[in-house]
Amino acid sequence: MLEVTGLCKSYKGNKVLDELSLKASPGECVGIVGSNGCGKTTLLSILAGAVRADRGSILFHGREAIGNSKIFYEEAAYVPQENPLIEELSVRDNLSLWYRGSRMRMEEDLESGAAAMLGIREMQKKTVSTLSGGMKKRLSIACALSNHASILILDEPGAALDLECKADIREYLEKYRKNGGTILLTSHEMPELSLCTVMYVLKGGGLRMVESGLGEKELIEMFHRG
């Protein structure tokens, strides 16, 4: 369970998040949508522990994470929109570098865990610079989930990927959710948003819950409503 209360963040006097609150339970996929520049990436970065909030509370399974980076490290798996991988290293070397566990556990993941489900074993000898965007995204997810986190946070997971890779990643996310994981994602793509069991529009620094399954036109209208 993720519980966020009274989250605030400002940049140069401009409020990006204003007393924002949010709950996400096991087995839920929470979609956060909104206009460009509304603060979606800032919100996800704070929930992942990559950016510090000015004020508020973030509880992972009842434990306060703000001020305790270890809790973010243990509970959250974060896949940013930008590729965090080291291009000149191999897939395996990147996985080893980012992996948050023993070598034995990594081998188990490559055989039967998240890395196996994402197809990392078959490409582990390749240099990252030779990979397609979809392969890099799969590797980024596998690296992020190396702590076996119960909450997966993704910023535009399907951005710039081909249709097959998008479908593969959606299939994995659905399995992760059905196995009891919690997903928070931002996206501008309707197929990805169709995975969401809960949807929010981020506007004016706060979240407004909207009905899941809304069409593209209806969602855009929500961006502009008062």
Side-chain angles (χ1 to χ4, degrees):
M1 169 71 79
L2 171 67
E3 297 178 82
V4 180
T5 308
L7 207 64
C8 296
K9 183 65 178 178
S10 296
Y11 290 109
K12 297 181 179 180
N14 296 316
K15 285 186 178 180
V16 179
L17 306 178
D18 187 12
E19 299 292 338
L20 181 147
S21 296
L22 168 71
K23 287 186 178 181
S25 301
E28 286 188 336
C29 179
V30 178
I32 299 171
V33 298
S35 302
N36 288 336
C38 70
K40 300 187 297 295
T41 293
T42 296
L43 173 58
L44 294 196
S45 298
I46 290 173
L47 298 182
V51 172
R52 189 178 180 90
D54 297 334
R55 188 170 71 252
S57 172
I58 301 175
L59 300 178
F60 289 95
H61 306 295
R63 299 195 296 164
E64 179 59 64
I66 291 182
N68 189 342
S69 59
K70 181 181 178 183
I71 294 177
F72 286 113
Y73 184 85
E74 292 174 349
E75 301 289 354
Y78 180 42
V79 183
Q81 186 174 348
E82 298 300 322
N83 168 27
L85 305 171
I86 299 176
E87 296 280 324
E88 62 267 26
L89 296 183
S90 70
V91 167
R92 184 180 180 85
D93 286 344
N94 267 275
L95 187 60
S96 297
L97 179 66
W98 295 103
Y99 201 81
R100 293 184 272 178
S102 67
R103 179 59 59 88
M104 182 179 295
R105 194 172 186 182
M106 189 181 90
E107 296 300 335
E108 290 173 353
D109 266 357
L110 284 165
E111 289 292 330
S112 58
M117 292 178 67
L118 290 161
I120 305 304
R121 183 182 179 187
E122 291 75 17
M123 61 183 185
Q124 61 181 309
K125 293 182 180 180
K126 295 182 178 180
T127 303
V128 167
S129 61
T130 68
L131 301 181
S132 67
M135 289 179 175
K136 290 177 182 178
K137 185 67 72 173
R138 292 185 198 187
L139 178 56
S140 295
I141 295 172
C143 290
L145 283 172
S146 64
N147 63 344
H148 293 247
S150 60
I151 298 175
L152 178 57
I153 301 170
L154 305 107
D155 192 358
E156 300 283 350
L161 303 186
D162 63 40
L163 291 175
E164 184 177 6
C165 288
K166 290 178 194 230
D168 288 345
I169 289 173
R170 288 198 304 271
E171 180 181 2
Y172 174 76
L173 294 179
E174 186 67 5
K175 288 178 181 177
Y176 178 86
R177 184 189 68 79
K178 287 182 176 179
N179 285 332
T182 302
I183 300 170
L184 284 90
L185 63 83
T186 65
S187 180
H188 294 287
E189 301 188 17
M190 296 308 296
E192 284 179 355
L193 294 176
S194 70
L195 296 172
C196 298
T197 57
V198 181
M199 289 265 290
Y200 292 92
V201 171
L202 178 55
K203 183 180 178 183
L207 291 174
R208 176 188 296 179
M209 183 179 286
V210 297
E211 183 182 349
S212 295
L214 290 179
E216 188 175 75
K217 184 177 180 180
E218 294 168 305
L219 274 177
I220 292 171
E221 289 175 353
M222 294 294 295
F223 297 174
H224 302 291
R225 287 182 188 172

